[in-house]
Amino acid sequence: MNLAPILLFVYNRPEHVRRGVASLLANDLAGESELFVFSDAAKDEASKSEVSEVRRFVRSIEGFKAVHIVERTDNWGLARSIIDGVTQTLEHYDRVIVLEDDLVLAPYFLQFMNDALETYKNEDRVGHIQACDFTQNPTLPDTFLIKWTGSWGWATWRRAWRHFNPDGRQLLDELKRRKLTRRFDFNGKYGFTRMLRRQVEGKNNSWAIRWNASLFLADILSLNVGRSLVQNEGFDGSGTNCGNGGLYASNLWTKPLPVVKIQPVEENEDARNAFEKYYAHTNSFYAKAIRRLKRTLKGDFGA
């Protein structure tokens, strides 16, 4: 099998990086895979020591076929770093697996991702693989196709990344012109359009919402899992885009997850409905108020 290089983006969370790399090394295919680590530079004095600690650790990583480290000399931020790292790597490889520093992986994560990348390599309507499930909905099949891209443990191909449009304004205008905003937002149950609008306004710098919109507008599907091979541990207040502890919790599936090519290649409407129900339940005013109350009672007075 043509194993995909693994791209790991790190910043200033050494303990998260250690746990994530340890879980990655527990995968049998780690020793046959190349690892590319992209280390962002500190944005202020307060971050320098932890960035240095992260860099000392990643320089010591062993157990992969090869380890390549890119240490930024300036603070790029996650969006710029991911866009550049994925783009540059796909000039030399036809597929990539992408990880951030707060992810813990199941022992068959690499096997699943490489199997899926190989199975769908020539299927132009599939452009993304997402290995994290946070809905914990038992009715979801092991794998399914959906027009939605998650960013916690994902993979893609060079052919699909060519659809990525970094211009959020163009994407937003096209969604509006084609009257697709409601569908994009799971029938209004989650504000993905609002997230894209805020990116355009400079109120967030999400690369993921632009990737989501790019594939959505191109009518390209994502292969998702109903059994999570990724656990996001970043909702502990340690990261830039953290919050809502427990909202996106997942249970790691520790068994092999077979990849059987789905035919016909079309969106699974039952799965889409499951996501819509999940967002309706977790994104309602009542649900948000309860979460805010619980955080306040714990002494967390953040937004």
PDB file of all heavy atoms in Angstrom, residues 147-166:
ATOM      1  N   LYS A 147     -21.969  15.381   2.970  1.00  0.00           N
ATOM      2  CA  LYS A 147     -21.394  16.646   2.511  1.00  0.00           C
ATOM      3  C   LYS A 147     -21.112  17.515   3.737  1.00  0.00           C
ATOM      4  O   LYS A 147     -21.850  18.439   4.059  1.00  0.00           O
ATOM      5  CB  LYS A 147     -22.328  17.355   1.531  1.00  0.00           C
ATOM      6  CG  LYS A 147     -22.292  16.783   0.131  1.00  0.00           C
ATOM      7  CD  LYS A 147     -23.260  17.482  -0.808  1.00  0.00           C
ATOM      8  CE  LYS A 147     -22.830  18.902  -1.085  1.00  0.00           C
ATOM      9  NZ  LYS A 147     -23.696  19.558  -2.098  1.00  0.00           N
ATOM     10  N   TRP A 148     -20.033  17.193   4.405  1.00  0.00           N
ATOM     11  CA  TRP A 148     -19.588  17.905   5.606  1.00  0.00           C
ATOM     12  C   TRP A 148     -18.193  17.422   5.927  1.00  0.00           C
ATOM     13  O   TRP A 148     -17.915  16.226   5.843  1.00  0.00           O
ATOM     14  CB  TRP A 148     -20.533  17.610   6.773  1.00  0.00           C
ATOM     15  CG  TRP A 148     -20.065  18.171   8.081  1.00  0.00           C
ATOM     16  CD1 TRP A 148     -20.268  19.447   8.535  1.00  0.00           C
ATOM     17  CD2 TRP A 148     -19.324  17.497   9.095  1.00  0.00           C
ATOM     18  NE1 TRP A 148     -19.683  19.597   9.774  1.00  0.00           N
ATOM     19  CE2 TRP A 148     -19.105  18.419  10.144  1.00  0.00           C
ATOM     20  CE3 TRP A 148     -18.816  16.209   9.231  1.00  0.00           C
ATOM     21  CZ2 TRP A 148     -18.399  18.084  11.300  1.00  0.00           C
ATOM     22  CZ3 TRP A 148     -18.115  15.873  10.379  1.00  0.00           C
ATOM     23  CH2 TRP A 148     -17.924  16.804  11.397  1.00  0.00           C
ATOM     24  N   THR A 149     -17.309  18.331   6.264  1.00  0.00           N
ATOM     25  CA  THR A 149     -15.926  17.935   6.526  1.00  0.00           C
ATOM     26  C   THR A 149     -15.529  18.262   7.954  1.00  0.00           C
ATOM     27  O   THR A 149     -15.501  19.432   8.338  1.00  0.00           O
ATOM     28  CB  THR A 149     -14.951  18.651   5.565  1.00  0.00           C
ATOM     29  OG1 THR A 149     -15.082  20.065   5.734  1.00  0.00           O
ATOM     30  CG2 THR A 149     -15.236  18.278   4.124  1.00  0.00           C
ATOM     31  N   GLY A 150     -15.233  17.256   8.739  1.00  0.00           N
ATOM     32  CA  GLY A 150     -14.685  17.461  10.068  1.00  0.00           C
ATOM     33  C   GLY A 150     -13.178  17.653   9.976  1.00  0.00           C
ATOM     34  O   GLY A 150     -12.528  17.228   9.010  1.00  0.00           O
ATOM     35  N   SER A 151     -12.609  18.288  10.989  1.00  0.00           N
ATOM     36  CA  SER A 151     -11.186  18.633  10.919  1.00  0.00           C
ATOM     37  C   SER A 151     -10.345  17.957  11.994  1.00  0.00           C
ATOM     38  O   SER A 151      -9.182  18.323  12.177  1.00  0.00           O
ATOM     39  CB  SER A 151     -11.028  20.158  11.047  1.00  0.00           C
ATOM     40  OG  SER A 151     -11.561  20.623  12.279  1.00  0.00           O
ATOM     41  N   TRP A 152     -10.893  16.970  12.695  1.00  0.00           N
ATOM     42  CA  TRP A 152     -10.156  16.311  13.770  1.00  0.00           C
ATOM     43  C   TRP A 152      -9.734  14.919  13.317  1.00  0.00           C
ATOM     44  O   TRP A 152     -10.448  13.946  13.489  1.00  0.00           O
ATOM     45  CB  TRP A 152     -11.013  16.219  15.031  1.00  0.00           C
ATOM     46  CG  TRP A 152     -11.445  17.563  15.542  1.00  0.00           C
ATOM     47  CD1 TRP A 152     -10.815  18.759  15.345  1.00  0.00           C
ATOM     48  CD2 TRP A 152     -12.610  17.848  16.319  1.00  0.00           C
ATOM     49  NE1 TRP A 152     -11.502  19.768  15.951  1.00  0.00           N
ATOM     50  CE2 TRP A 152     -12.610  19.244  16.562  1.00  0.00           C
ATOM     51  CE3 TRP A 152     -13.640  17.064  16.832  1.00  0.00           C
ATOM     52  CZ2 TRP A 152     -13.609  19.865  17.305  1.00  0.00           C
ATOM     53  CZ3 TRP A 152     -14.635  17.689  17.570  1.00  0.00           C
ATOM     54  CH2 TRP A 152     -14.610  19.073  17.803  1.00  0.00           C
ATOM     55  N   GLY A 153      -8.570  14.842  12.715  1.00  0.00           N
ATOM     56  CA  GLY A 153      -8.087  13.578  12.187  1.00  0.00           C
ATOM     57  C   GLY A 153      -8.688  13.322  10.823  1.00  0.00           C
ATOM     58  O   GLY A 153      -9.685  12.630  10.699  1.00  0.00           O
ATOM     59  N   TRP A 154      -8.097  13.915   9.791  1.00  0.00           N
ATOM     60  CA  TRP A 154      -8.685  13.846   8.460  1.00  0.00           C
ATOM     61  C   TRP A 154      -7.605  13.574   7.416  1.00  0.00           C
ATOM     62  O   TRP A 154      -6.414  13.598   7.713  1.00  0.00           O
ATOM     63  CB  TRP A 154      -9.434  15.142   8.124  1.00  0.00           C
ATOM     64  CG  TRP A 154      -8.600  16.383   8.125  1.00  0.00           C
ATOM     65  CD1 TRP A 154      -8.178  17.090   9.217  1.00  0.00           C
ATOM     66  CD2 TRP A 154      -8.084  17.089   6.987  1.00  0.00           C
ATOM     67  NE1 TRP A 154      -7.435  18.180   8.831  1.00  0.00           N
ATOM     68  CE2 TRP A 154      -7.363  18.222   7.477  1.00  0.00           C
ATOM     69  CE3 TRP A 154      -8.167  16.875   5.607  1.00  0.00           C
ATOM     70  CZ2 TRP A 154      -6.729  19.117   6.621  1.00  0.00           C
ATOM     71  CZ3 TRP A 154      -7.534  17.774   4.759  1.00  0.00           C
ATOM     72  CH2 TRP A 154      -6.830  18.878   5.265  1.00  0.00           C
ATOM     73  N   ALA A 155      -8.072  13.303   6.222  1.00  0.00           N
ATOM     74  CA  ALA A 155      -7.148  13.000   5.126  1.00  0.00           C
ATOM     75  C   ALA A 155      -7.759  13.459   3.814  1.00  0.00           C
ATOM     76  O   ALA A 155      -8.986  13.604   3.692  1.00  0.00           O
ATOM     77  CB  ALA A 155      -6.845  11.501   5.074  1.00  0.00           C
ATOM     78  N   THR A 156      -6.897  13.683   2.846  1.00  0.00           N
ATOM     79  CA  THR A 156      -7.380  14.061   1.522  1.00  0.00           C
ATOM     80  C   THR A 156      -6.326  13.703   0.480  1.00  0.00           C
ATOM     81  O   THR A 156      -5.249  13.195   0.801  1.00  0.00           O
ATOM     82  CB  THR A 156      -7.728  15.558   1.457  1.00  0.00           C
ATOM     83  OG1 THR A 156      -8.454  15.823   0.242  1.00  0.00           O
ATOM     84  CG2 THR A 156      -6.484  16.436   1.508  1.00  0.00           C
ATOM     85  N   TRP A 157      -6.654  13.997  -0.777  1.00  0.00           N
ATOM     86  CA  TRP A 157      -5.778  13.730  -1.909  1.00  0.00           C
ATOM     87  C   TRP A 157      -5.427  15.047  -2.602  1.00  0.00           C
ATOM     88  O   TRP A 157      -6.145  16.038  -2.480  1.00  0.00           O
ATOM     89  CB  TRP A 157      -6.480  12.830  -2.926  1.00  0.00           C
ATOM     90  CG  TRP A 157      -6.930  11.506  -2.438  1.00  0.00           C
ATOM     91  CD1 TRP A 157      -6.267  10.306  -2.564  1.00  0.00           C
ATOM     92  CD2 TRP A 157      -8.170  11.198  -1.783  1.00  0.00           C
ATOM     93  NE1 TRP A 157      -7.020   9.291  -2.022  1.00  0.00           N
ATOM     94  CE2 TRP A 157      -8.177   9.800  -1.524  1.00  0.00           C
ATOM     95  CE3 TRP A 157      -9.269  11.969  -1.359  1.00  0.00           C
ATOM     96  CZ2 TRP A 157      -9.244   9.163  -0.896  1.00  0.00           C
ATOM     97  CZ3 TRP A 157     -10.326  11.340  -0.720  1.00  0.00           C
ATOM     98  CH2 TRP A 157     -10.313   9.950  -0.496  1.00  0.00           C
ATOM     99  N   ARG A 158      -4.362  15.022  -3.385  1.00  0.00           N
ATOM    100  CA  ARG A 158      -3.980  16.196  -4.171  1.00  0.00           C
ATOM    101  C   ARG A 158      -5.125  16.633  -5.076  1.00  0.00           C
ATOM    102  O   ARG A 158      -5.420  17.827  -5.199  1.00  0.00           O
ATOM    103  CB  ARG A 158      -2.743  15.879  -5.007  1.00  0.00           C
ATOM    104  CG  ARG A 158      -2.249  17.056  -5.852  1.00  0.00           C
ATOM    105  CD  ARG A 158      -1.200  16.593  -6.859  1.00  0.00           C
ATOM    106  NE  ARG A 158      -0.049  16.024  -6.176  1.00  0.00           N
ATOM    107  CZ  ARG A 158       0.698  15.029  -6.673  1.00  0.00           C
ATOM    108  NH1 ARG A 158       0.388  14.475  -7.825  1.00  0.00           N
ATOM    109  NH2 ARG A 158       1.735  14.591  -6.000  1.00  0.00           N
ATOM    110  N   ARG A 159      -5.792  15.666  -5.714  1.00  0.00           N
ATOM    111  CA  ARG A 159      -6.873  15.996  -6.647  1.00  0.00           C
ATOM    112  C   ARG A 159      -8.007  16.752  -5.965  1.00  0.00           C
ATOM    113  O   ARG A 159      -8.664  17.608  -6.574  1.00  0.00           O
ATOM    114  CB  ARG A 159      -7.424  14.714  -7.299  1.00  0.00           C
ATOM    115  CG  ARG A 159      -7.997  13.707  -6.301  1.00  0.00           C
ATOM    116  CD  ARG A 159      -8.839  12.634  -6.956  1.00  0.00           C
ATOM    117  NE  ARG A 159      -9.255  11.623  -6.002  1.00  0.00           N
ATOM    118  CZ  ARG A 159     -10.244  11.772  -5.134  1.00  0.00           C
ATOM    119  NH1 ARG A 159     -10.921  12.904  -5.100  1.00  0.00           N
ATOM    120  NH2 ARG A 159     -10.577  10.792  -4.298  1.00  0.00           N
ATOM    121  N   ALA A 160      -8.270  16.434  -4.681  1.00  0.00           N
ATOM    122  CA  ALA A 160      -9.359  17.096  -3.959  1.00  0.00           C
ATOM    123  C   ALA A 160      -8.931  18.453  -3.415  1.00  0.00           C
ATOM    124  O   ALA A 160      -9.708  19.414  -3.429  1.00  0.00           O
ATOM    125  CB  ALA A 160      -9.850  16.199  -2.821  1.00  0.00           C
ATOM    126  N   TRP A 161      -7.688  18.542  -2.924  1.00  0.00           N
ATOM    127  CA  TRP A 161      -7.217  19.798  -2.337  1.00  0.00           C
ATOM    128  C   TRP A 161      -7.189  20.920  -3.358  1.00  0.00           C
ATOM    129  O   TRP A 161      -7.232  22.111  -3.003  1.00  0.00           O
ATOM    130  CB  TRP A 161      -5.830  19.588  -1.723  1.00  0.00           C
ATOM    131  CG  TRP A 161      -5.330  20.741  -0.914  1.00  0.00           C
ATOM    132  CD1 TRP A 161      -4.277  21.563  -1.219  1.00  0.00           C
ATOM    133  CD2 TRP A 161      -5.837  21.219   0.348  1.00  0.00           C
ATOM    134  NE1 TRP A 161      -4.099  22.505  -0.236  1.00  0.00           N
ATOM    135  CE2 TRP A 161      -5.040  22.317   0.746  1.00  0.00           C
ATOM    136  CE3 TRP A 161      -6.883  20.805   1.178  1.00  0.00           C
ATOM    137  CZ2 TRP A 161      -5.268  23.013   1.929  1.00  0.00           C
ATOM    138  CZ3 TRP A 161      -7.106  21.495   2.366  1.00  0.00           C
ATOM    139  CH2 TRP A 161      -6.306  22.584   2.724  1.00  0.00           C
ATOM    140  N   ARG A 162      -7.163  20.577  -4.627  1.00  0.00           N
ATOM    141  CA  ARG A 162      -7.202  21.604  -5.678  1.00  0.00           C
ATOM    142  C   ARG A 162      -8.512  22.393  -5.640  1.00  0.00           C
ATOM    143  O   ARG A 162      -8.586  23.504  -6.184  1.00  0.00           O
ATOM    144  CB  ARG A 162      -7.022  20.958  -7.053  1.00  0.00           C
ATOM    145  CG  ARG A 162      -5.587  20.466  -7.309  1.00  0.00           C
ATOM    146  CD  ARG A 162      -5.485  19.684  -8.590  1.00  0.00           C
ATOM    147  NE  ARG A 162      -4.110  19.249  -8.850  1.00  0.00           N
ATOM    148  CZ  ARG A 162      -3.782  18.165  -9.543  1.00  0.00           C
ATOM    149  NH1 ARG A 162      -4.731  17.395 -10.057  1.00  0.00           N
ATOM    150  NH2 ARG A 162      -2.517  17.848  -9.726  1.00  0.00           N
ATOM    151  N   HIS A 163      -9.529  21.838  -5.019  1.00  0.00           N
ATOM    152  CA  HIS A 163     -10.814  22.539  -4.903  1.00  0.00           C
ATOM    153  C   HIS A 163     -10.807  23.564  -3.768  1.00  0.00           C
ATOM    154  O   HIS A 163     -11.745  24.368  -3.662  1.00  0.00           O
ATOM    155  CB  HIS A 163     -11.950  21.539  -4.659  1.00  0.00           C
ATOM    156  CG  HIS A 163     -12.249  20.658  -5.826  1.00  0.00           C
ATOM    157  ND1 HIS A 163     -13.016  21.072  -6.895  1.00  0.00           N
ATOM    158  CD2 HIS A 163     -11.877  19.374  -6.092  1.00  0.00           C
ATOM    159  CE1 HIS A 163     -13.111  20.080  -7.777  1.00  0.00           C
ATOM    160  NE2 HIS A 163     -12.435  19.050  -7.317  1.00  0.00           N
ATOM    161  N   PHE A 164      -9.789  23.528  -2.913  1.00  0.00           N
ATOM    162  CA  PHE A 164      -9.777  24.431  -1.765  1.00  0.00           C
ATOM    163  C   PHE A 164      -9.673  25.881  -2.216  1.00  0.00           C
ATOM    164  O   PHE A 164      -8.759  26.259  -2.943  1.00  0.00           O
ATOM    165  CB  PHE A 164      -8.609  24.105  -0.829  1.00  0.00           C
ATOM    166  CG  PHE A 164      -8.499  25.063   0.338  1.00  0.00           C
ATOM    167  CD1 PHE A 164      -9.477  25.098   1.314  1.00  0.00           C
ATOM    168  CD2 PHE A 164      -7.431  25.941   0.431  1.00  0.00           C
ATOM    169  CE1 PHE A 164      -9.392  25.978   2.377  1.00  0.00           C
ATOM    170  CE2 PHE A 164      -7.329  26.829   1.489  1.00  0.00           C
ATOM    171  CZ  PHE A 164      -8.319  26.850   2.464  1.00  0.00           C
ATOM    172  N   ASN A 165     -10.631  26.694  -1.768  1.00  0.00           N
ATOM    173  CA  ASN A 165     -10.634  28.123  -2.073  1.00  0.00           C
ATOM    174  C   ASN A 165     -10.427  28.888  -0.771  1.00  0.00           C
ATOM    175  O   ASN A 165     -11.290  28.867   0.113  1.00  0.00           O
ATOM    176  CB  ASN A 165     -11.966  28.526  -2.710  1.00  0.00           C
ATOM    177  CG  ASN A 165     -11.994  29.994  -3.110  1.00  0.00           C
ATOM    178  OD1 ASN A 165     -11.049  30.746  -2.858  1.00  0.00           O
ATOM    179  ND2 ASN A 165     -13.089  30.411  -3.734  1.00  0.00           N
ATOM    180  N   PRO A 166      -9.289  29.559  -0.616  1.00  0.00           N
ATOM    181  CA  PRO A 166      -9.029  30.286   0.630  1.00  0.00           C
ATOM    182  C   PRO A 166      -9.817  31.579   0.763  1.00  0.00           C
ATOM    183  O   PRO A 166      -9.809  32.203   1.829  1.00  0.00           O
ATOM    184  CB  PRO A 166      -7.523  30.572   0.552  1.00  0.00           C
ATOM    185  CG  PRO A 166      -7.241  30.648  -0.911  1.00  0.00           C
ATOM    186  CD  PRO A 166      -8.155  29.645  -1.556  1.00  0.00           C
TER     187      PRO A 166
END
